[in-house]
């Protein structure tokens, strides 16, 4: 009776959504969605109830059939109970996986002969252990062929040289990226010959037309004396090259040169201080205190 009432209620609920959907102006969109979800849930509930009814009917038919065959009520209950699965003990599963014999069968495995009272069991090596041993033999043969016969793989020393070469390439790449992160606030004054050679190449390519072959000054000022128009510190020189001075005709090189190239050429210019080239241009700007002090220290050393 309770299943019949539930079925009637669900059947009455299902047609509500199509009937209300005929006129969207009567019901808001959100309400329509909720009604649709309710209809889906109702259909699922109806399906579940139908399955339960069929299952109950099947149980009733099974009981009727068993009674017709002469089964008693106790026998019918015993037949309709689900059979319990017998779990195998963990030790039995473990022994089967490892191809081991249980301890209870040890007496059957004893070999007839003995040595000084020590008995031996006829317990052969498990198959999985033999297969593992065969795999190691195949691996060893393959290793010898690949590394020592055909030379396909690299031995330890060759692998070391390859890794060192890769590390050297990675180091150079890192240093090139790190060098290009320099700006007017982080640039340092260096005397490394590789840096000065790089700066000299940039100077000859880009700076000679205005400052001369030896930085003696042409259109631009002399870069070898103690006088500077825009500051003589390495940071000032870097900044002047990078941003230029449009009022003086000094172009900005920020887009043509990388930060490392600007740093290199700035250090090269600083290395030319006191070189006294031929036909220098007259001094322009103001004396830089650091240059004067450095020049005095150089003269004292000489």
């Amino acid at each position: 009776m309770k299943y019949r009432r539930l079925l009637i209620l669900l059947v009455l609920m299902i047609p509500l959504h199509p009937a209300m959907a005929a006129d969207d102006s009567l019901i808001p969109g959100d309400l329509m969605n909720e009604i649709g979800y309710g209809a889906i849930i109702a259909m699922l509930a109806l399906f579940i109830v139908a399955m339960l009814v069929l299952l109950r009917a099947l149980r009733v038919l099974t009981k009727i059939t068993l009674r017709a065959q002469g089964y008693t009520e106790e026998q019918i209950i015993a037949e309709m109970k689900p059979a319990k699965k017998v779990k195998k003990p963990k030790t039995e599963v473990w022994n089967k996986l490892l191809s081991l014999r249980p301890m209870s069968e040890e007496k059957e495995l004893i070999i007839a002969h003995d040595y000084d009272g020590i008995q031996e069991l006829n317990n052969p090596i498990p198959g999985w252990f033999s297969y593992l041993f065969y795999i190691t033999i195949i691996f060893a043969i393959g290793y010898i062929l690949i590394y020592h016969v055909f030379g396909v793989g690299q031995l330890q020393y060759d692998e070391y040289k390859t890794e060192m070469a890769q590390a050297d390439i990675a180091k150079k790449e890192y240093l090139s990226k790190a060098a290009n992160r320099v700006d007017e606030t982080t640039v340092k004054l260096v005397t490394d010959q590789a840096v000065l050679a790089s700066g000299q190449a940039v100077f000859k390519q880009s700076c000679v037309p205005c400052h001369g072959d030896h930085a003696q000054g042409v259109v631009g000022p002399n870069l070898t004396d103690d006088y500077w128009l825009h500051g003589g510190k390495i940071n000032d020189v870097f900044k002047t090259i990078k941003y230029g001075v449009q009022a003086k005709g000094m172009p900005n090189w920020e887009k043509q040169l990388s930060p490392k190239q600007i740093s290199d050429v700035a250090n090269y210019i600083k290395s030319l201080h006191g070189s006294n080239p031929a036909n220098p241009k007259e001094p322009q700007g103001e004396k830089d205190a650091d240059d004067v002090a450095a020049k005095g220290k150089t003269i004292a050393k000489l």
Side-chain angles (χ1 to χ4, degrees):
M1 181 62 71
K2 60 180 179 180
Y3 292 121
R4 188 180 302 171
R5 291 178 181 175
L6 184 57
L7 284 172
I8 294 171
L9 179 60
L10 292 174
V11 170
L12 291 175
M13 288 178 63
I14 292 172
L16 290 177
H17 180 249
M20 292 181 178
D23 188 359
D24 292 343
S25 61
L26 297 177
I27 304 174
D30 293 340
L31 182 58
M32 291 294 295
N33 291 335
E34 293 178 3
I35 294 173
Y37 296 146
I40 294 172
I41 293 171
M43 292 181 68
L44 291 174
L46 177 61
F47 178 77
I48 294 171
V49 171
M51 292 297 103
L52 292 174
V53 172
L54 289 175
L55 181 61
R56 185 177 179 81
L58 183 61
R59 289 175 64 86
V60 172
L61 289 174
T62 303
K63 287 182 179 180
I64 293 172
T65 303
L66 291 175
R67 285 196 190 98
Q69 293 177 0
Y71 280 75
T72 63
E73 289 295 329
E74 290 79 8
Q75 291 174 333
I76 292 173
I77 293 171
E79 285 290 333
M80 296 186 68
K81 278 186 178 180
K84 293 183 179 179
K85 293 183 179 180
V86 179
K87 292 184 179 180
K88 294 182 178 180
K90 292 183 179 180
T91 53
E92 184 178 344
V93 176
W94 182 255
N95 291 340
K96 189 173 181 180
L97 288 174
L98 298 180
S99 301
L100 300 176
R101 302 286 293 274
M103 294 295 293
S104 58
E105 300 179 7
E106 184 175 328
K107 293 182 180 180
E108 301 175 7
L109 301 176
I110 297 176
I111 299 176
H113 62 269
D114 62 77
Y115 299 94
D116 296 331
I118 300 174
Q119 293 180 317
E120 185 181 359
L121 297 179
N122 184 18
N123 199 1
I125 297 174
W128 64 268
F129 189 87
S130 300
Y131 297 143
L132 183 62
F133 178 68
Y134 299 146
I135 289 171
T136 59
I137 295 174
I138 295 171
F139 176 82
I141 294 172
Y143 183 89
I144 292 172
L145 293 175
I146 292 172
Y147 288 93
H148 296 279
V149 178
F150 301 114
V152 178
Q154 290 185 326
L155 294 176
Q156 186 174 9
Y157 183 65
D158 295 328
E159 188 175 357
Y160 168 76
K161 291 192 293 184
T162 301
E163 290 180 357
M164 290 299 294
Q166 292 174 348
D168 188 52
I169 294 171
K171 179 181 177 181
K172 290 179 179 177
E173 184 178 355
Y174 169 77
L175 290 176
S176 64
K177 291 180 179 178
N180 279 322
R181 294 193 187 102
V182 68
D183 58 19
E184 58 272 19
T185 61
T186 59
V187 63
K188 301 295 182 183
L189 182 64
V190 297
T191 57
D192 184 82
Q193 292 302 316
V195 172
L196 298 182
S198 173
Q200 183 180 20
V202 175
F203 185 88
K204 288 183 177 180
Q205 181 180 356
S206 304
C207 308
V208 167
C210 293
H211 295 280
D213 294 338
H214 302 286
Q216 73 274 14
V218 184
V219 179
N222 179 7
L223 301 177
T224 65
D225 57 19
D226 299 335
Y227 294 85
W228 297 89
L229 290 170
H230 309 289
K233 295 182 175 62
I234 186 65
N235 309 77
D236 300 325
V237 178
F238 185 99
K239 184 177 180 181
T240 303
I241 298 170
K242 181 177 180 180
Y243 298 111
V245 184
Q246 298 300 324
K248 299 287 186 178
M250 170 69 180
N252 67 75
W253 294 95
E254 184 177 12
K255 295 182 180 178
Q256 289 87 349
L257 301 177
S258 67
K260 182 182 183 305
Q261 289 176 314
I262 297 175
S263 174
D264 292 348
V265 73
N267 275 284
Y268 173 70
I269 291 170
K270 290 294 294 179
S271 72
L272 296 176
H273 175 254
S275 58
N276 299 318
N279 301 318
K281 191 175 180 181
E282 67 278 2
Q284 293 176 274
E286 298 178 357
K287 278 191 175 184
D288 184 80
D290 293 342
D291 282 349
V292 173
K295 188 174 181 180
K297 288 181 181 178
T298 304
I299 293 173
K301 287 181 181 179
L302 294 175

